[in-house]
Amino acid sequence: MPAPERLRLSLADVLTLGNAVCGFAAIYCVTTAVLIPHLLDGDTGDGVRQGAASAVLFILLGALFDLCDGIVARRFGGSGMGAELDNLSDLISFGLAPAYFVLVWGLVGGGENHLAPVVVSAVAVLLGGVMRLARFSCTTMRDGVFEGMPIPFAALTVLSVVLLQLSFVVTVLAVLAVAWLMVSRVAYPKPTGRLAVATALWGAVNVACLTAWALNSPGGEALLVTGCGLQVALAAALPLAAGVRRVSGRGPLRAG
């Protein structure tokens, strides 16, 4: 049994709990600004953009907490609860919140006529996240790679797909594809060296565009399309690159 001091919250745990709060806040914003007005009077007005923008900001903030808690834990140490707290918080912010986002998108965007595929895609995102986190906890990954799409990356991809406002069928298929990628055997490289720099720059531009849109900056719609497009392009490119390398017999995609 862990010693009592190992069960005390560390600074890293506080950051992890901040991630969980961000996931809850994203769900709250979508509910109060989008779903409730739609159910009460059928007219969301500016609520759709407000709720979606707030949810995106909270998911991005949750991802920042998720990044920082690991850095802080390695630098200052963590508690015996750290790994469990991290998984539970990730499930809220990157599993439940994007699944709920998909469900509300379907309901508000006319999905009442196609409720079954909307529910299936939302549940697929949730279960994909649950299985991805469970597998990550009980398996040892190969050096330099993740097996399956990491759940924070998947959450941002799901949000980006929905926000691009593609056709209903394309959106549902893309969301289902992301859910499958989370539980797939596709090897995603852990960013190190030059790959880390390229990934950081790509992600910085993506996050900057989404943040600027969420804050209602001038040219917001163009920024939204740019940010979401970059996210979806990267999500599609990595498994394609891994598949090409596997077919060509060069092994899994690895960081350079």
Side-chain angles (χ1 to χ4, degrees):
M1 181 178 295
E5 58 270 18
R6 292 288 294 160
L7 299 181
R8 294 174 182 170
L9 288 178
S10 66
L11 177 58
D13 294 336
V14 173
L15 294 174
T16 301
L17 292 175
N19 176 19
V21 172
C22 287
F24 175 80
I27 294 171
Y28 172 83
C29 290
V30 172
T31 301
T32 56
V34 182
L35 183 59
I36 290 178
H38 173 75
L39 293 176
L40 289 178
D41 55 25
D43 182 15
T44 55
D46 294 331
V48 171
R49 189 195 186 286
Q50 175 188 344
S54 299
V56 167
L57 283 176
F58 279 117
I59 295 298
L60 291 174
L61 184 58
L64 179 61
F65 279 127
D66 186 52
L67 173 66
C68 291
D69 65 5
I71 297 173
V72 171
R74 287 188 292 271
R75 178 65 178 84
F76 300 104
S79 73
M81 300 185 294
E84 295 299 327
L85 288 176
D86 190 60
N87 274 351
L88 292 171
S89 296
D90 283 355
L91 180 58
I92 295 171
S93 293
F94 310 129
L96 180 59
Y100 186 73
F101 195 91
V102 170
L103 182 62
V104 174
W105 158 76
L107 293 174
V108 173
E112 299 95 335
N113 301 322
H114 308 282
L115 188 58
V118 170
V119 172
V120 168
S121 57
V123 171
V125 170
L126 177 63
L127 295 183
V130 171
M131 295 174 65
R132 175 68 177 80
L133 291 170
R135 189 173 70 184
F136 182 78
S137 297
C138 63
T139 58
T140 301
M141 297 294 102
R142 291 171 290 167
D143 290 339
V145 297
F146 293 108
E147 193 172 78
M149 180 181 284
I151 188 170
F153 188 81
L156 290 177
T157 304
V158 167
L159 294 183
S160 296
V161 167
V162 173
L163 291 171
L164 280 173
Q165 299 184 51
L166 306 171
S167 70
F168 177 82
V169 173
V170 171
T171 300
V172 168
L173 291 177
V175 169
L176 290 173
V178 174
W180 175 80
L181 284 170
M182 279 193 280
V183 298
S184 72
R185 300 293 180 181
V186 175
Y188 285 79
K190 293 181 180 179
T192 58
R194 288 174 297 176
L195 181 61
V197 175
T199 302
L201 290 175
W202 189 293
V205 174
N206 171 22
V207 170
C209 289
L210 289 175
T211 302
W213 166 77
L215 295 176
N216 205 21
S217 300
E221 294 308 311
L223 291 170
L224 173 66
V225 172
T226 301
C228 293
L230 288 172
Q231 179 67 30
V232 173
L234 184 60
L238 288 175
L240 287 176
V244 169
R245 290 185 67 88
R246 185 169 58 251
V247 170
S248 63
R250 288 182 290 171
L253 182 64
R254 291 183 179 273

